[in-house]
Amino acid sequence: MTVVAPGESPVAWGAPLEVGPAEPGDGPARRKSDRRRRPPLEVFAAAIGLLLPIAFVTSLDSAPWSLRAAILLVVAGVGLPVLLAQVRGPRPLAARAAVAFLAAGALSALLSQNHTTAVFGLYNQGTGLLFMTALAGAWAIGRSLRPEARPLLEAALIVGILINVAVALLAATVGLTSISSDLVDASGRASGLSGNPVHLAALGILALALIVPRLAKSAAAWALPVAAVAAATQLSGTRVALVVMAAMAVWAARRHGLRVAAILAVLLVLGLALGSAIGGAPNGSATTRSGSLGSWRNRPATWLTARSSIVNHPVLGVGPGQFRTATSATHPVSVALTEGPDALFSDAHNLFVEYATTTGALGLGALVIWLVAAIRPARGWLLVGALGVLVIHLLEPQSVVTTPLAFLALGASAPLATASGRRGVGYRVATWSCLVLAVLAGSVFLVGEYQAHQAQLDLSPGPAAQADRLLPPWSRTAALLARVWTFQGISNHHDQADYQRSRAWRVDALQRDSTDPALWNDLAQFDATIGKDPKAAETEFTTALRLNPTSALAMTGLAHLAGDRCDIDRQKYWQQRADQVSPPLAAPPVPSGLANQQPATLTCAGPAPG
C-alpha cells in the first residue's frame, strides 16, 4: 500500500525530491496514454465539479435547484458503493464515521413523524437523508482520485464557478430578469446561477482557493478571475466571505510568500471596488453590510430556539431536513422583526446545530469524527477551499451546490491510499445497480419538475396532477393543485365543485406536512373568503399561530374575523400584536391643519354580504 498526498510524491513535505533514472517508456507519449485511460470515476468527479455550479434550468419548477437535486441522486448512487468499499480500505476511520453518520440519519428518518421530509428534505432545499448520502458519496469519490487526476477536478471547478461568477456580474450590470428572477434575490443581491447570494459567495471562495497557486505562477493570467470573484462576492453581500478571503491572503503569504499575498490582496481590493461600482442592491454589498450587526444576532437567536428540541430528542433528533419543524414554535420576535414575521429558518445556518437538531447526538458525533478524520491528513489548496466553504456553513445554510462540492474537495485533498487487488463482481453489480436506480429516479424527478413548471405557467390541472404523481409526496404539489383549482373555480364563474376540489387539496397538503404554518394560513384565508366559514378559519389561524407565534398573517386574519363579528376589542388586540412583529410603514407627514385631529378608530362593518 502506498499513501500519496495530493500533488506530492511519497516523501515528507519539504524534503528534496531525488529523481532517479527514467523508466523505459516514460515521457509525453506515456502521459498521453495515461490520460486516455483515465478511470470513469475521475471523469465523473470532474463532471460534478463542472456541472453543479452551472446547473440552472429555467424550464424546471425551481431553476437553480431542480437539476442539481437530480445530479445529487446520481452522486449518491455512484458514491455510496465507493464509500462502503473504503470502510475496509486503508485509513478507514473517516469512511466508517461517514457510514455511521448515514446510519444515524437513516434511523432518525425512520422514527421521524414526516418520512417524506426526512428522506427527501423540504422542496427547493432537499437536505434530507438522500442529501446526506450525496455528501458522503461526494467525499468518497474525491478520496478515490489519483494525484494526477486532481488538476482535472480543479480545472472543472474553476471553469464552472467562473461561469457562475460571469453570469452574476452580467446580471448585475445589464439585468437578466427577463431570463430568470432567480439571478438576483428579492433585495437585489447577486445570486448568479446559485439561487442564493451566500451560495454564490461560497463558490467564489472555493474557486479563489484553487486560483491562488496558479496566480503564484502567472499573476497576469489569473488577475482577472481573482478580481471577478471578489466583485461577485461584493455583489452577493455575504459578509463572512470577506473574512475568509482575508484569511486566504494570510495563508497565501505563508505558502507562496509576501509578494504573491500582496498581489492577491490588491486584486481582491480592486474586485471589491469593482463590485461597489457596478452597484446591485442599495446598501447590499458585502463591505456595506459588514457594519450591520442586526442579522448577525439572528443566528445565535435562531440556534437557541433548537434547545428544547435537542433536549426532547437528544439521541436521534427530529429527522433530517426538519429544523423548521423543530424550532418554528419558538420563533423569536427579534428574528421576526429583521427577517419577517412569517419567514422561518428551514436550515439552522450552522452545520453542527443543524445536525444536532435533526440527527441528534449520534449524527452530530459521527459528523464531527468524520470531519476531523478527513481533515487531519489532508493537504493543499483543495483543502483550503473546502474549509473556506465549511466556515461559511457555520453562519449560512447548506445547499445542493456548495455543500457537496465542499465535501468533494475535502475528499480530493486527502491522501490517496491505494491497495493491490481488483474489485469483486458483487461490488461492480452493486455499483451499476445503484447508478441505474439513481439515473432512473433523477429522470422521473426532472419530468415531474417540468410538469410542475408548466402547471405554474398556465394553472391547468393536467400538468399539476402529473407533477403530483411523479414527484415525492411533498405538500408543495398539493398546494399547487389547490391554486390550480381555485383559478379554475374563478374562471368557471365561481364553480363550487372546483372550489371544493381546491379546499380538498389544501387539506391534503396539510396531511403531508401538518407542521407548516404557511399551509394553515393558506387554508384559513380560503375558508375566510371563498369558503365563508369563519369558525373553521379562526381555528386554522390559531393553529398557524401556535406553530409560529410571530405569524403576522395569522394575527391579521384573526383581526379581520373579529371585525366581521363586530368584536372591536379582539380586533384591536390582534392588530396590535401584528403591528408588534410587523410594524406598519411610516405614514406620510400630516398637514399642519389636520395635526389636532383624532386618529382613526377601528370600526365594525359586519360580515361581507354573501
Side-chain angles (χ1 to χ4, degrees), residues 266-482:
V266 169
L267 291 173
L268 290 177
V269 171
L270 290 176
L272 294 174
L274 175 62
S276 297
I278 290 175
N283 301 319
S285 68
T287 51
T288 302
R289 297 181 74 242
S290 61
S292 173
L293 298 178
S295 60
W296 283 114
R297 299 191 186 100
N298 291 340
R299 302 299 192 263
T302 300
W303 301 336
L304 289 175
T305 62
R307 289 176 299 178
S308 60
S309 177
I310 293 174
V311 170
N312 293 330
H313 306 87
V315 180
L316 289 170
V318 296
Q322 299 187 70
F323 183 82
R324 186 210 67 206
T325 299
T327 60
S328 69
T330 53
H331 190 228
V333 174
S334 60
V335 177
L337 289 172
T338 54
E339 301 290 340
D342 286 276
L344 298 174
F345 278 48
S346 53
D347 184 283
H349 289 57
N350 180 286
L351 197 67
F352 301 108
V353 176
E354 170 76 16
Y355 286 108
T357 307
T358 58
T359 62
L362 291 181
L364 176 63
L367 175 63
V368 171
I369 295 172
W370 175 20
L371 288 175
V372 171
I375 290 170
R376 285 186 63 184
R379 297 291 187 274
W381 283 97
L382 270 169
L383 172 63
V384 174
L387 291 179
V389 177
L390 292 177
V391 167
I392 291 177
H393 276 30
L394 296 179
L395 292 169
E396 302 296 352
Q398 303 176 96
S399 83
V400 292
V401 55
T402 57
T403 320
L405 290 180
F407 277 84
L408 176 66
L410 179 59
S413 66
L416 172 66
T418 59
S420 60
R422 295 174 59 86
R423 304 293 187 189
V425 175
Y427 173 82
R428 294 195 293 272
V429 170
T431 300
W432 280 103
S433 298
C434 289
L435 176 60
V436 170
L437 288 175
V439 170
L440 289 175
S443 301
V444 172
F445 174 78
L446 290 178
V447 173
E449 282 292 278
Y450 174 79
Q451 293 293 337
H453 179 67
Q454 295 303 308
Q456 295 275 14
L457 292 177
D458 55 17
L459 291 177
S460 58
Q466 184 74 354
D468 187 62
R469 285 191 293 269
L470 294 174
L471 295 174
W474 281 309
S475 60
R476 160 85 173 193
T477 52
L480 174 59
L481 278 161

Side-chain angles (χ1 to χ4, degrees), residues 151-190:
L152 177 63
L153 172 61
E154 293 178 359
L157 286 167
I158 291 172
V159 170
I161 295 173
L162 288 182
I163 291 173
N164 199 329
V165 165
V167 172
L169 294 177
L170 190 62
T173 305
V174 301
L176 298 175
T177 53
S178 59
I179 298 176
S180 174
S181 60
D182 291 309
L183 299 176
V184 295
D185 75 350
S187 63
R189 293 164 56 192

